[in-house]
Amino acid sequence: SDTVHIITSIDEITNVLSKFSKEVFDSFYDKNYEGLHMYLTSELKPKNIRTQYSSPAAYSLTYKNKYIIAMNIGIFANETNTCHELMHNIESNLNNKGEYFSDWYKLNPKKHTYTYSYKETDSNKYTIGENNINNVYFVDSYANTYPTEDMARIFENICNTNENSVLNNYPNLYKKGIYLRDIMYKYYPSLKETTLFNSLNKS
């Protein structure tokens, strides 16, 4: 039933949120912002169908001094989507603190550029599936659209599991995971006391 689905979805989302420290959520109130707001729905539609997916799983944005996640809980990947959208909001939060992840690009192949298009998602070069694990720099073609999506894809493969993350199997993906971990530890030191990054091999 709908009620069971809603309760299950909230449990799944809460399970992810519980991996974070209070300090992270408090930081969404810095600089006159009014916190992180999450809206759960059964349908999302883009404003412009030509440039966006026709049935997105979720959106993240800042609007009227609020950090916002709007998520379609009908697309049964609540933990993954929550992790993914939280990364977008954490990135916005850290941008507001003057952190722009400028060293991220050094973790990609030389001369690499993102497609900067949500419609161009068919490039599987440098993604999981390459014969040589040292040539894997992106989780999938979606990670190659925008730097923000690349970071969110990496983060969802850390935050969505307590077990061994798939990132550990690929040296370049692992470096990206460690980079995100170290940035977050710098700005949210209390995360060191949580299990959030337990799925990454310690280094």
Side-chain angles (χ1 to χ4, degrees), residues 26-63:
D26 286 347
S27 74
F28 290 116
Y29 290 91
D30 292 350
K31 295 194 174 174
N32 295 323
Y33 275 81
E34 295 171 19
L36 176 65
H37 299 254
M38 197 163 186
Y39 299 94
L40 306 181
T41 176
S42 60
E43 187 178 31
L44 283 173
K45 289 242 184 295
K47 199 170 181 181
N48 187 337
I49 202 109
R50 283 179 307 130
T51 59
Q52 309 244 300
Y53 278 134
S54 57
S55 56
Y59 286 119
S60 282
L61 62 151
T62 50
Y63 180 70

Side-chain angles (χ1 to χ4, degrees), residues 182-201:
D182 291 349
I183 292 265
M184 288 195 205
Y185 280 179
K186 176 182 171 185
Y187 289 93
Y188 316 116
S190 58
L191 281 179
K192 293 176 186 175
E193 310 303 317
T194 70
T195 62
L196 182 59
F197 290 96
N198 279 11
S199 64
L200 279 182
N201 288 337

Side-chain angles (χ1 to χ4, degrees), residues 104 107-108 126-129 133-140 143 150 153-155 157-158 165-180 200:
W104 183 258
L107 301 172
N108 287 335
Y126 299 125
T127 62
I128 291 174
I133 60 168
N134 294 307
N135 284 342
V136 175
Y137 289 84
F138 306 96
V139 172
D140 56 14
D150 190 9
R153 272 287 197 255
I154 291 289
F155 188 64
N157 280 283
I158 296 167
S165 171
V166 70
L167 305 181
N168 295 321
N169 304 330
Y170 301 93
N172 299 311
L173 297 184
Y174 176 73
K175 282 180 197 163
K176 286 184 170 182
I178 294 298
Y179 177 80
L180 289 184
L200 279 182

